[in-house]
Amino acid sequence: MKVSLNWLRQYLDIDLEPAAIGEVLTGTGLEVEGMEKVESIPGGLAGVVVGHVLECGKHPGADRLSLTRVDTGAGEPVSIVCGAPNVAAGQHVIVATVGAMLHPMSGEPFKIKKGKIRGEVSAGMLCAEDELGLGESHDGIIVLDKAYAPGTPAAEVFDLKEDYVYEIGLTPNRSDATNHLGVAYDLAAALNVNHGKEVTVKRPDVSAFREGTQPAIKVNVQDVSQAPRYAGLTIENLTVAPSPEWLRTQLLAIGVRPINNVVDITNFVLHELGQPLHAFDLDKVAGKEIHVEKLAEGTTFLSLDEVERQLSADDLMICDSNHQPMCIAGVFGGANSGVSDSTTSIFLEAAHFEAGTTRRSSMRHTLRTDAARVFEKGSDPNITVYALKRAALLLQELAGGVVTSELLDLYPNPIQPLEITVRDQRVVDVIGADLARTQVQSILKSMGMEIVSSGVDSFVVAVPTNKSEVLREIDVIEEILRIYGFDNVPIPQMITTAMTVAPSPDPNYVRELTGDLLAANGFNEMMALSLDESRHYGDVSDGQQLEGLVYINNTSNVHLDVMRPGMLMSALEAVAHNHNRQQQDLRLFEFGRSYHLDGELYKEVNHLTLTLSGQRQPESWHPSPKGKNEVGFYTLKAAVELVFQRLGIDNYRTAEAPAEGYSYGLRYHKGPMVLADFGAVNPLHLRARQVKSNVFFADINWDNVLRVLPRKPVQVKTPSKFPSLRRDLALIVDKQVTFADVERLARKAEKKLLTDINLFDVYENEDQLGAGKKSYAVSFQLESDEQTLNDKQVDKVMKSIEGSLTKQLGAEVRR
């Protein structure tokens, strides 16, 4: 949620710095996740000042240019060349000094530099409206109608406004803080209690509101449990037009796009008071009646975004006298009843809808509107009429409207403040601070919670209806603690702790991280039995036990007589099971253990296995070339390397996978430590498990992986805000030259700007390239954290890289 500081200051007199206000808000539970300075003109005209033109004469080298000497209040007058026809001596003008960044109405921003124009030094710029972003005029420079002291900042002359917008991570339990006034109450309470301020919230005055004399429009609410309160009034003689600048500015500051004065006022009141409003074009309301009801399943509704939606029987709708839907209650309006440029009369609705009904409709139709977000948290049923009056007065002021009807307010079962008993000792026990009752009650009163009665060791507090989540004693204590301040809770003199040593790296964390990675790449996790049949591991027809197997006495399933010594057979059993049930395309992973007997010691080894079979992509009308869509060795290799890359494991060596498991494959290792074996499963094993298609299997030794994990922490770097540039080179090199050689030399030649190198093509042709030669097509990505690179800088880097490759590798650049 976005909150504007200028908006808050309409209700509070506060002189704290914006950052300090953000800290106070965070302390109350309204966590400020970011703060952005918003300026009416980018840069706030920094470096732009008032200048006094002391001298003005013709430029000796150009008839249309003037040579001026201007006092900018910085000491010696400066020479400025000006092309405006209206410049003259004695004027007070606006000067952009050297170093100022201007943001014109059109074109790119530019920086003022000292230079020569037709041979004459110019140390600044006399500015027109459009060059400063103040307007469209470019007829001449701005000449001020009164004298200002030279050096006066232009921001003061034009009274430029600036604002600070807080991005607040609003939690679901803060129904009271969905709006600026709610945030203002929290801020005032914290300032009064903890900062010695005497701050009072100034609510907008609606005492000038007068209702009309005509009867209110007829409204029928089908189920008052889902619309406990429904209010509205008729406003006529409206003129729909663009909103005034102040209203547009306030909406834009919080990311709301202005539309017209009527719609903007409803949005303004929503973000000011937390009460959604809806304006219906009165001429489009058939029969001048409103029915709040549910329609039959499948009823069509054309919403404001021109999408035809199929309604659910659970959607609460606002309908006309013909029971035609005009709006999804509390969520989104319809295309045929909204305000348009020709609207002159409206029915303005302010209602309180049940939170669950609103949320279900919002989620069902994927309409996450600001109104829905307020209702689903629990809007305040007792602010509807106040908000209606506030909006009506604004419509009178900004759109010329006249309230013609009586104020309608259907509220058959008024919702009263909830009264909760709070025990003094319970407050002390939960917060951990010895708070006096007077202090506790002062905090509650600062948040608008009235004390109903007091007893010997407890009191009763009335919780306002805008705090829909405060239902129990513990919730009230949480409200007290928010304002009292977590930082004010004393630390006890004696703290009892239990020391535990967490393993590093944490195996559970690494396992979850890897499992999430594989699942995100299309793998499904499998869990196989740790028991297996010994017959799968050799010839035991003579009754002899095979060496190394861990036998068990399994009286329930006598054929499962060993703990599995490896992971492959379990994976193949899972493949056979799925293939027999027409599931041919498999991507499986398993974290599991193998067991073996080493002399007299039983040993367990942790594994991660990957199993692939079938097609890489689902069958479609656009088939791949024959055999090109099947998973293969390189599909598996990419998956293994993805896991290693994510875990930061590199600098491993390659060897052939053991023949007993694979018809072909690779082993990744670090010295004698095996990290992974992977490849195409040996057909002998496939036949043993009655698998009729190719299977590719990777066995990653998880214990060894944990041993070689890098111990250095992850380094976080902010992405550059400047664009990157790419340059490609076609290099003719000897066949024995590897891409690793090219990459190593390129990174040595340029360490600062070179961010990525990629080999995207290899070409061999002795007739064109010569004997023993090949061509590498290599891309180089260049990027700076400080500026946008220009061609001159990039060409200099590429020239250095080309020179290094030519000198060290004998490379020839193909042009």
Side-chain angles (χ1 to χ4, degrees):
M1 184 182 80
K2 292 186 176 181
V3 173
S4 159
L5 178 55
N6 284 352
W7 209 331
L8 287 178
R9 282 179 168 150
Q10 295 176 18
Y11 319 118
L12 297 171
D13 292 326
I14 44 178
D15 54 4
L16 292 178
E17 292 296 317
I21 293 174
E23 292 177 2
V24 175
L25 290 174
T26 298
T28 66
L30 299 175
E31 183 179 358
V32 175
E33 298 176 338
M35 184 179 74
E36 178 186 4
K37 185 177 182 180
V38 178
E39 298 171 315
S40 55
I41 295 178
L45 297 184
V48 181
V49 300
V50 172
H52 183 207
V53 181
L54 303 176
E55 302 175 11
C56 180
K58 287 293 183 183
H59 189 291
D63 292 338
R64 295 188 177 183
L65 297 179
S66 299
L67 186 59
T68 66
R69 283 181 60 77
V70 182
D71 180 7
T72 62
E76 289 293 320
V78 296
S79 297
I80 299 178
V81 176
C82 179
N86 63 328
V87 63
Q91 294 172 335
H92 284 80
V93 296
I94 299 299
V95 183
T97 60
V98 174
M101 180 67 73
L102 299 188
H103 297 261
M105 296 296 292
S106 60
E108 296 296 319
F110 60 93
K111 191 174 186 179
I112 301 299
K113 299 179 180 178
K114 183 177 182 179
K116 287 188 175 182
I117 300 177
R118 296 289 182 91
E120 296 293 334
V121 173
S122 183
M125 175 178 169
L126 307 187
C127 302
E129 275 188 8
D130 63 330
E131 292 166 336
L132 296 176
L134 292 170
E136 301 292 341
S137 174
H138 193 69
D139 295 337
I141 61 171
I142 299 173
V143 179
L144 302 176
D145 56 4
K146 65 177 183 177
Y148 288 87
T152 302
E156 295 181 12
V157 175
F158 298 110
D159 192 25
L160 295 186
K161 303 295 184 184
E162 67 177 27
D163 194 4
Y164 288 86
V165 175
Y166 303 102
E167 185 69 44
I168 291 179
L170 190 64
T171 51
N173 65 327
R174 295 304 309 276
S175 58
D176 60 318
T178 59
N179 55 88
H180 281 74
L181 195 62
V183 173
Y185 275 112
D186 254 22
L187 182 58
L191 292 175
N192 288 332
V193 171
N194 293 318
H195 297 270
K197 306 282 186 180
E198 293 185 4
V199 182
T200 302
V201 177
K202 296 174 289 186
R203 285 167 58 99
D205 183 15
V206 297
S207 60
F209 173 81
R210 298 291 182 272
E211 60 184 300
T213 57
Q214 297 179 9
I217 192 171
K218 184 178 180 181
V219 174
N220 174 54
V221 178
Q222 185 182 68
D223 186 351
V224 294
S225 67
Q226 296 187 342
R229 190 173 193 180
Y230 193 92
L233 50 79
T234 300
I235 301 177
E236 300 182 7
N237 298 330
L238 291 166
T239 300
V240 177
S243 297
E245 182 180 356
W246 71 264
L247 180 53
R248 295 198 307 271
T249 299
Q250 288 196 286
L251 292 177
L252 285 170
I254 60 171
V256 177
R257 180 175 63 88
I259 297 175
N260 58 54
N261 49 3
V262 176
V263 176
D264 292 350
I265 286 170
T266 62
N267 285 330
F268 175 81
V269 173
L270 166 62
H271 291 281
E272 180 183 53
L273 305 180
Q275 173 60 55
L277 304 173
H278 192 80
F280 297 94
D281 189 322
L282 190 61
D283 294 333
K284 298 175 184 178
V285 180
K288 301 296 185 290
E289 288 185 11
I290 296 289
H291 291 265
V292 185
E293 59 187 350
K294 293 181 179 180
L295 301 177
E297 183 79 29
T299 302
T300 59
F301 169 62
L302 184 64
S303 53
L304 192 60
D305 54 358
E306 300 293 336
V307 175
E308 190 172 88
R309 303 178 185 276
Q310 302 296 315
L311 297 179
S312 164
D314 191 44
D315 290 328
L316 188 65
M317 304 299 298
I318 311 299
C319 304
D320 59 19
S321 62
N322 298 324
H323 303 282
Q324 293 299 310
M326 299 187 297
C327 176
I328 304 176
V331 180
F332 205 50
N336 299 321
S337 62
V339 173
S340 65
D341 292 343
S342 60
T343 297
T344 58
S345 303
I346 64 170
F347 173 72
L348 186 62
E349 165 199 280
H352 172 67
F353 298 114
E354 193 268 329
T357 301
T358 307
R359 177 170 174 80
R360 286 191 293 273
S361 292
S362 172
M363 299 300 292
R364 184 181 299 117
H365 298 288
T366 61
L367 291 169
R368 305 297 295 142
T369 60
D370 290 337
R373 290 188 180 95
V374 170
F375 279 126
E376 70 185 24
K377 282 183 170 62
S379 67
D380 183 2
N382 292 319
I383 203 175
T384 53
V385 170
Y386 175 72
L388 202 60
K389 293 178 179 180
R390 170 68 164 156
L393 291 172
L394 288 171
L395 287 166
Q396 289 177 341
E397 177 186 351
L398 304 181
V402 176
V403 178
T404 57
S405 75
E406 298 173 342
L407 194 151
L408 169 80
D409 185 17
L410 299 180
Y411 199 15
N413 303 307
I415 300 173
Q416 302 297 332
L418 182 64
E419 295 185 0
I420 299 176
T421 300
V422 180
R423 294 164 291 174
D424 297 329
Q425 190 58 45
R426 183 62 172 161
V427 174
V428 173
D429 292 343
V430 172
I431 293 179
D434 190 11
L435 299 180
R437 179 185 290 190
T438 54
Q439 187 177 6
V440 170
Q441 293 184 350
S442 174
I443 292 173
L444 292 173
K445 289 178 181 179
S446 71
M447 292 186 287
M449 298 189 189
E450 294 299 326
I451 307 303
V452 177
S453 62
S454 296
V456 176
D457 56 3
S458 65
F459 59 90
V460 178
V461 61
V463 178
T465 51
N466 68 328
K467 295 181 179 291
S468 61
E469 296 291 331
V470 180
L471 305 173
R472 305 165 300 167
E473 179 188 34
I474 192 67
D475 298 328
V476 176
I477 296 174
E478 180 186 349
E479 293 292 290
I480 297 169
L481 178 57
R482 284 197 307 103
I483 302 304
Y484 176 70
F486 292 92
D487 292 341
N488 292 327
V489 176
I491 299 175
Q493 295 181 350
M494 180 180 295
I495 301 177
T496 303
T497 62
M499 299 296 293
T500 60
V501 179
S504 180
D506 184 347
N508 293 325
Y509 172 76
V510 178
R511 173 172 169 166
E512 291 296 323
L513 181 73
T514 306
D516 290 344
L517 173 72
L518 291 169
N521 283 273
F523 283 80
N524 292 301
E525 185 170 9
M526 61 170 278
M527 297 180 66
L529 285 175
S530 295
L531 306 179
D532 207 346
E533 301 177 53
S534 58
R535 65 183 179 88
H536 292 141
Y537 301 97
D539 185 6
V540 292
S541 58
D542 58 358
Q544 298 296 317
Q545 292 188 345
L546 296 175
E547 185 179 354
L549 291 181
V550 178
Y551 289 87
I552 61 172
N553 183 21
N554 189 351
T555 57
S556 300
N557 296 286
V558 293
H559 61 289
L560 298 175
D561 58 340
V562 296
M563 303 293 288
R564 60 180 177 184
M567 305 289 289
L568 176 58
M569 293 304 168
S570 298
L572 292 179
E573 184 175 4
V575 170
H577 180 86
N578 280 276
H579 282 186
N580 291 337
R581 289 159 180 78
Q582 289 75 50
Q583 300 296 321
Q584 303 295 321
D585 305 333
L586 302 175
R587 287 178 177 240
L588 306 174
F589 75 93
E590 180 185 10
F591 287 98
R593 293 176 180 174
S594 64
Y595 309 82
H596 69 280
L597 182 61
D598 184 8
E600 296 182 354
L601 298 176
Y602 292 98
K603 292 190 175 181
E604 300 179 11
V605 179
N606 289 289
H607 301 260
L608 166 62
T609 64
L610 311 178
T611 308
L612 300 179
S613 177
Q615 304 295 308
R616 290 189 296 112
Q617 300 293 338
E619 184 179 15
S620 72
W621 64 270
H622 189 275
S624 300
K626 187 176 180 180
K628 297 294 186 181
N629 194 36
E630 295 180 0
V631 297
F633 171 75
Y634 289 103
T635 314
L636 181 62
K637 182 174 182 288
V640 173
E641 292 181 351
L642 178 66
V643 172
F644 282 13
Q645 181 184 39
R646 181 63 184 87
L647 298 180
I649 299 173
D650 54 13
N651 298 324
Y652 44 81
R653 295 185 178 276
T654 303
E656 288 189 18
E660 62 267 21
Y662 306 92
S663 55
Y664 61 89
L666 288 178
R667 164 172 287 181
Y668 287 165
H669 65 97
K670 285 195 171 186
M673 186 183 294
V674 177
L675 300 180
D677 290 325
F678 60 94
V681 175
N682 192 314
L684 293 175
H685 298 309
L686 298 179
R687 287 194 292 269
R689 288 292 187 174
Q690 298 181 345
V691 176
K692 298 178 181 179
S693 62
N694 293 329
V695 176
F696 297 88
F697 178 77
D699 184 359
I700 300 174
N701 188 309
W702 195 244
D703 290 326
N704 289 342
V705 164
L706 294 178
R707 290 188 183 100
V708 301
L709 282 179
R711 295 304 194 269
K712 55 186 178 181
V714 174
Q715 298 295 317
V716 178
K717 180 182 178 183
T718 304
S720 173
K721 62 181 179 180
F722 300 102
S724 60
L725 293 176
R726 168 176 166 157
R727 291 289 186 269
D728 295 344
L729 287 182
L731 302 169
I732 300 175
V733 295
D734 293 335
K735 283 190 175 182
Q736 65 268 25
V737 173
T738 66
F739 171 65
D741 298 327
V742 176
E743 183 177 20
R744 175 177 54 81
L745 290 173
R747 291 194 181 279
K748 186 176 180 181
E750 176 52 52
K751 299 179 180 179
K752 184 178 180 182
L753 301 179
L754 184 60
T755 59
D756 190 37
I757 307 172
N758 181 48
L759 176 66
F760 63 89
D761 188 38
V762 180
Y763 175 68
E764 295 184 11
N765 187 318
E766 289 193 359
D767 293 337
Q768 295 183 5
L769 304 177
K773 297 289 185 179
K774 61 183 176 182
S775 175
Y776 278 160
V778 185
S779 67
F780 299 86
Q781 204 80 15
L782 302 171
E783 185 180 277
S784 172
D785 294 334
E786 301 172 353
Q787 61 179 324
T788 299
L789 298 176
N790 56 43
D791 289 339
K792 185 176 180 181
Q793 292 169 304
V794 174
D795 290 343
K796 182 179 178 181
V797 171
M798 294 308 299
K799 186 176 180 180
S800 173
I801 293 174
E802 288 178 25
S804 180
L805 297 176
T806 301
K807 183 177 179 180
Q808 301 291 330
L809 300 178
E812 178 185 346
V813 179
R814 297 177 66 190
R815 302 296 183 182

